[in-house]
Amino acid sequence: MGFTASGFSRALLFASALVVAPQVFAHAHLKAQTPAANTEIATAPSAITLNFSEGIEPKFSGLTVTDSQNQAVKTGPATRSDSDKTQMVVPLEQPLASGDYTVDWHVVSVDGHKTRGSYRFTLK
């Protein structure tokens, strides 16, 4: 009974999936955020709170907030919640004016993997 090219390809694909799958699941993926993505809020937040799928390293994680003119909003240092190692909180050091905002975030999970992303929200 010989190994066909098709059988070899399937075996190679299966072996690749076993190697890659744990790496894909080892990243901290954004699960929730406050203010929520693509929402319009009535009250200016005092902080941006991000919840991830696994614990994060706050020393290597953070975010920037920019307004519709691409001007940065001053923020404090990123901290990790004492009660939830998957939650990052970044205080806003200046009140937000009405308008559109973009949050660009980056985190390093406790196992060393880097993840980044962005989302928008609007303040009435």
Side-chain angles (χ1 to χ4, degrees):
M1 198 159 143
F3 224 124
T4 65
S6 175
F8 179 75
S9 295
R10 282 191 293 246
L12 185 59
L13 181 63
F14 179 74
S16 297
L18 289 176
V19 171
V20 173
Q23 293 173 352
V24 169
F25 294 118
H27 293 72
H29 297 284
L30 184 62
K31 291 175 61 177
Q33 63 278 84
T34 304
N38 304 315
T39 59
E40 184 173 270
I41 58 175
T43 305
S46 60
I48 303 293
T49 303
L50 305 178
N51 291 39
F52 294 91
S53 58
E54 63 182 72
I56 59 153
E57 293 290 347
K59 292 180 184 177
F60 305 107
S61 304
L63 58 78
T64 58
V65 179
T66 52
D67 63 19
S68 58
Q69 283 76 45
N70 208 29
Q71 297 295 310
V73 173
K74 189 169 176 135
T75 62
T79 59
R80 184 175 62 185
S81 169
D82 290 333
S83 61
D84 184 353
K85 304 299 184 202
T86 68
Q87 185 177 76
M88 178 171 69
V89 179
V90 177
L92 299 175
E93 293 190 349
Q94 65 189 65
L96 299 182
S98 295
D100 297 322
Y101 292 90
T102 301
V103 177
D104 291 298
W105 56 268
H106 63 279
V107 295
V108 173
S109 61
V110 291
D111 62 5
H113 290 100
K114 299 175 186 175
T115 311
R116 64 179 51 243
S118 66
Y119 74 94
R120 296 173 177 259
F121 68 91
T122 300
L123 177 61
K124 286 188 198 181

